[in-house]
Amino acid sequence: MGLKRKDLLDVASLSAEDIHLILETADSFKEVSGREIKKVPALRGKTVVNLFFEPSTRTRTSFELAAKRLSADVINFSPSTSSIVKGETLLDTARNIESMQADIIVLRHPSPGAAETLARGVRSSVINAGDGCHEHPTQALLDLFTIRQRKAHLAGLCVVIVGDIAHSRVARSNIYALTKMGATVRVAAPPTMIPLYLDRLGVSVFFDLDRALEGADVVMMLRLQLERLGQAYLPSIREYARLYGLTAERMKRAKPDALVMHPGPLNRGVEIAPEVADSGAAVILDQVANGVAVRMGLMYLLSGG
Amino acid sequence: MTTISRQKEILLMDAHDMKRALTRISHEILERNKGIQDLALVGIRTGGVYLARRIQAFIKQIEGHELPLGELDITLYRDDLGSRRDQPEVRKTSIPFHITDLKIVLVDDVLFTGRTIRAAMDGLIDLGRPAEIQLAVLIDRGHRQLPIKANYVGKSVPTARDEIVHVYLEELGERDRVVLVTAE
């Protein structure tokens, strides 16, 4: 048993069996979060370091909570308060952290590949919590967990991912994970937000959201990164909201029991209408709750062997 | 060393022996607790869960009531988690009732070093404060490494440390029996 790897850097290198094992293990950890005393001693005496070079509340808190529910000790490093502002390199920072006997380093970094660079340089396990536009594997795993919870299976489902595919590590990790598990993936976005050669990943590309939604089982909305506005990807937020915003009217094209997902934080009224975000179809808060269980399962699996 | 030498299997209990032992244990549980008031069974995964279900069925035959039954996975409470090479698979703990103030009968197939039971008691106490924890096992094979003793024992078997006791269960697709594997 076990993942037989030191790090989790991406979904691309995971097999369907690995993904299955992580989801099954997470399922066992889900029960712990429902207890009165939400703690098990599995990682007692181990140290988890959250090394976040980008602002994040949700992901960092989720990792912190997961580690604490496993009884690990948790340290949070963020660049503004540490020696990174003094010019230390990523690897030197990590080596210092490693010298303090860190067992798992959770890294979020703006540069694609940062997690892999780090993993090669340290003996600690590294979990990629988002590296630039590359991957955000734990987000995809918790999304799959949430879909499986509602739909019981992943194979054969039609999942539509809507938004800035080109810059989204969430989209990339989900495309890998969903296709490996046998789901059909459609993406919908303005042409400026679709990367070249995307069809090589086995997804179909739509510029028209209404067409993409026909018969969908799951609609996964991405956050519109408003900072992209000045970069000529979009004429205006209003136009984007009109063409690519998920409204209750548009949802009628999907299957009646379709799920709506969003990795957060929400731009209400932009990519998702409030009545959709608050509807029974939305599993956005389930995603957050499941994130803790998935990260617990993953840290448990990486801590063995 | 022992893997090289030839092994032989000795039958410790057949299906009838197991049924008689579990029936007796069910009666003993009722006798000791003066009925089923505030009583619940918790099986330790995997074998203990099936044995707990059988005890639950026997007690239902005798008393006409079904005892609450929980399933406990002790993986996360093992004391060798950090030192083992392989990572043991975590399964689900499912105890669908509040254990606080209940008399809990833990059920396991084989009592050996006592470490599993220590882990199970830690796991239980994380879920609440039972009034009492009792222990029922099908086989007690000795060699305790912790001060732990069963309240209900199907059969006590003297063994050597390097021998292996296998409990085969119908629920897992086997013929009911208990076998001691020993070097010839």
Side-chain angles (χ1 to χ4, degrees):
Chain A
M1 286 314 298
L3 271 180
K4 298 192 171 49
R5 55 174 68 220
K6 175 171 90 68
D7 314 293
L8 181 81
L9 306 176
D10 53 24
V11 176
S13 68
L14 290 177
S15 67
E17 290 78 49
D18 291 336
I19 294 173
H20 185 75
L21 173 65
I22 296 168
L23 299 182
E24 284 294 312
T25 307
D27 205 25
S28 302
F29 282 101
K30 180 84 186 150
E31 176 262 332
V32 176
S33 294
R35 293 182 187 179
E36 210 162 303
I37 300 170
K38 299 171 184 56
K39 217 175 177 73
V40 288
L43 293 194
R44 203 174 50 177
K46 305 237 176 191
T47 305
V48 176
V49 176
N50 280 328
L51 188 54
F52 276 59
F53 289 84
E54 272 182 359
S56 159
T57 313
R58 200 174 318 247
T59 306
R60 191 187 53 72
T61 311
S62 181
F63 270 108
E64 185 171 351
L65 213 49
K68 285 182 170 167
R69 286 188 182 161
L70 293 170
S71 303
D73 296 308
V74 186
I75 298 166
N76 291 309
F77 273 77
S78 49
S80 59
T81 59
S82 72
S83 51
I84 293 137
V85 289
K86 298 174 190 163
E88 193 178 46
T89 67
L90 170 62
L91 211 51
D92 281 332
T93 305
R95 283 189 180 136
N96 276 285
I97 292 169
E98 191 182 34
S99 308
M100 301 173 202
Q101 309 296 323
D103 298 283
I104 298 177
I105 299 174
V106 180
L107 178 74
R108 165 159 298 183
H109 199 280
S111 304
E116 188 169 342
T117 306
L118 182 65
R120 284 190 193 152
V122 298
R123 284 184 306 276
S124 317
S125 288
V126 175
I127 299 178
N128 181 5
D131 57 338
C133 300
H134 176 222
E135 279 219 42
H136 189 356
T138 58
Q139 178 70 41
L141 291 166
L142 75 88
D143 288 342
L144 263 63
F145 185 90
T146 307
I147 297 172
R148 211 180 62 149
Q149 199 176 37
R150 292 299 185 100
K151 299 282 181 197
H153 60 95
L154 295 163
L157 292 180
C158 172
V159 182
V160 186
I161 306 177
V162 188
D164 188 355
I165 311 293
H167 298 98
S168 173
R169 52 197 177 205
V170 174
R172 204 173 314 270
S173 290
N174 263 305
I175 289 169
Y176 285 126
L178 288 163
T179 50
K180 279 174 200 274
M181 300 310 277
T184 308
V185 181
R186 298 174 182 167
V187 300
T192 49
M193 292 180 162
I194 299 280
L196 286 174
Y197 312 120
L198 187 64
D199 48 332
R200 288 191 189 167
L201 295 182
V203 306
S204 36
V205 176
F206 291 76
F207 301 133
D208 178 349
L209 178 58
D210 289 328
R211 278 190 49 219
L213 289 174
E214 293 291 348
D217 294 291
V218 178
V219 186
M220 210 177 258
M221 302 306 296
L222 301 174
R223 187 177 73 90
L224 180 69
Q225 292 169 291
L226 300 172
E227 55 271 27
R228 303 256 176 246
L229 265 180
Q231 301 175 8
Y233 291 103
L234 291 172
S236 75
I237 294 184
R238 262 174 77 183
E239 189 196 275
Y240 182 84
R242 190 166 54 78
L243 293 174
Y244 294 99
L246 190 64
T247 59
E249 190 55 37
R250 283 215 162 100
M251 267 306 283
K252 288 178 185 162
R253 293 173 181 269
K255 287 203 182 134
D257 60 347
L259 304 178
V260 175
M261 307 180 78
H262 194 297
L266 300 175
N267 288 316
R268 282 175 181 265
V270 181
E271 71 266 5
I272 189 163
E275 75 261 24
V276 177
D278 301 327
S279 70
V283 291
I284 298 164
L285 294 176
D286 296 7
Q287 290 173 270
V288 178
N290 291 335
V292 178
V294 167
R295 288 169 178 129
M296 285 172 79
L298 190 63
M299 285 197 250
Y300 170 75
L301 289 170
L302 290 178
S303 71
Chain B
M1 287 185 289
T2 49
T3 50
I4 301 166
S5 60
R6 276 185 297 169
Q7 297 185 330
K8 72 173 175 196
E9 291 196 345
I10 302 166
L11 185 70
L12 296 177
M13 291 178 109
D14 63 16
H16 292 294
D17 298 331
M18 284 169 68
K19 189 178 175 192
R20 277 191 287 269
L22 290 171
T23 315
R24 174 174 52 77
I25 287 174
S26 305
H27 280 286
E28 284 174 358
I29 290 172
L30 292 170
E31 188 184 10
R32 182 189 164 99
N33 294 289
K34 300 185 173 63
I36 56 165
Q37 187 69 34
D38 299 329
L39 201 58
L41 299 166
V42 171
I44 299 174
R45 281 188 186 276
T46 308
V49 171
Y50 298 112
L51 296 176
R53 284 189 196 149
R54 292 190 193 185
I55 292 171
Q56 183 191 39
F58 285 129
I59 289 179
K60 191 177 178 189
Q61 277 176 23
I62 304 161
E63 293 283 314
H65 276 92
E66 201 156 83
L67 287 183
L69 179 92
E71 303 176 1
L72 185 66
D73 183 82
I74 58 118
T75 312
L76 301 172
Y77 292 88
R78 297 178 67 112
D79 55 12
D80 58 355
L81 261 188
S83 52
R84 284 169 62 112
R85 276 263 197 75
D86 57 324
Q87 184 80 329
E89 184 182 353
V90 192
R91 296 197 201 81
K92 222 177 201 163
T93 287
S94 155
I95 299 186
F97 49 86
H98 282 289
I99 64 163
T100 299
D101 295 335
L102 292 185
K103 289 183 280 187
I104 303 290
V105 182
L106 269 178
V107 182
D108 203 3
D109 45 10
V110 180
L111 178 57
F112 185 22
T113 59
R115 287 180 191 268
T116 300
I117 306 302
R118 193 281 308 162
M121 289 194 290
D122 278 358
L124 267 185
I125 285 165
D126 271 3
L127 298 172
R129 185 180 186 278
E132 204 178 313
I133 298 178
Q134 302 168 11
L135 176 60
V137 295
L138 185 62
I139 299 286
D140 179 352
R141 58 168 294 190
H143 301 286
R144 218 74 78 238
Q145 293 168 353
L146 296 169
I148 281 169
K149 187 172 182 296
N151 303 85
Y152 316 100
V153 179
K155 184 171 184 155
S156 287
V157 185
T159 60
R161 265 209 70 91
D162 55 0
E163 289 171 330
I164 302 165
V165 175
H166 282 304
V167 175
Y168 294 101
L169 297 174
E170 240 172 34
E171 292 90 332
L172 296 170
E174 297 279 349
R175 185 163 40 84
D176 268 356
R177 64 193 191 283
V178 182
V179 169
L180 177 73
V181 182
T182 180
E184 204 161 352

